[in-house]
Amino acid sequence: VQLQASGGGLVQPGGSLSLSCASSGFSLDYYVIGWFRQAPGKEREVVSCIDSSDGSTYYADSVQGRFTISRDNPNAKNTVYLQMNRLKSTDTAVYYCATAALDYHTRCRDYEYELWGQGTLVTVSS
């Protein structure tokens, strides 16, 4: 079982990128899925997460209104996306996706994430 994150790259400030996180070997239907990031010299932080049981989402204040997390499309089951718009230089980081099995927690940001993807680098620079 693993997660594969992709979609990072170099983008100018104000631009957009879409990250993907695909699971293999298991269904995402019974998990919360989170996107995290770690900038150079900083601690890892949660960016956004989604609860597969009810579709509820969370966004960090720093990305609220600019990023959108979503699950699946008809051509890509078991995939979570992070659409990032109006990117800023402060969004530069390695982005990771991670999962945790659904349990008693009511908010996806409260979970202890267990399975991590390999990370994809997002660089926002002119």
Side-chain angles (χ1 to χ4, degrees), residues 5 11 13-14 17 23 40-41 43 46 54 62 64 84 97 104 111:
V11 63
L17 276 178
S23 68
E43 293 187 354
V46 59
D54 61 8
S62 58
Q64 180 74 47
M84 306 185 295
C97 60
Y104 61 90
Y111 279 77

Side-chain angles (χ1 to χ4, degrees), residues 8-17 84 87-88 92 122-126:
L10 173 64
V11 63
Q12 293 186 343
S16 298
L17 276 178
M84 306 185 295
L87 283 160
K88 306 174 182 180
T92 295
V122 173
T123 303
V124 185
S125 175
S126 55

Side-chain angles (χ1 to χ4, degrees), residues 45-100:
E45 61 176 350
V46 59
V47 175
S48 180
C49 57
I50 185 167
D51 185 328
S52 292
S53 68
D54 61 8
S56 59
T57 59
Y58 164 81
Y59 297 95
D61 289 344
S62 58
V63 306
Q64 180 74 47
R66 300 188 297 120
F67 290 12
T68 302
I69 191 170
S70 62
R71 265 207 59 185
D72 301 341
N73 64 48
N75 297 318
K77 295 294 184 182
N78 290 313
T79 302
V80 173
Y81 302 93
L82 186 69
Q83 177 65 40
M84 306 185 295
N85 298 327
R86 305 199 310 274
L87 283 160
K88 306 174 182 180
S89 59
T90 51
D91 295 317
T92 295
V94 177
Y95 284 71
Y96 301 88
C97 60
T99 61

Side-chain angles (χ1 to χ4, degrees), residues 3 31-36 44 46 48-51 56 58 69 96-103 105 107-116:
L3 295 172
Y31 291 84
V32 292
I33 306 98
W35 282 100
F36 298 77
R44 187 174 64 199
V46 59
S48 180
C49 57
I50 185 167
D51 185 328
S56 59
Y58 164 81
I69 191 170
Y96 301 88
C97 60
T99 61
L102 291 169
D103 61 23
H105 290 96
R107 302 183 304 183
C108 59
R109 66 183 184 271
D110 293 333
Y111 279 77
E112 293 288 337
Y113 285 79
E114 302 161 328
L115 179 65
W116 292 80

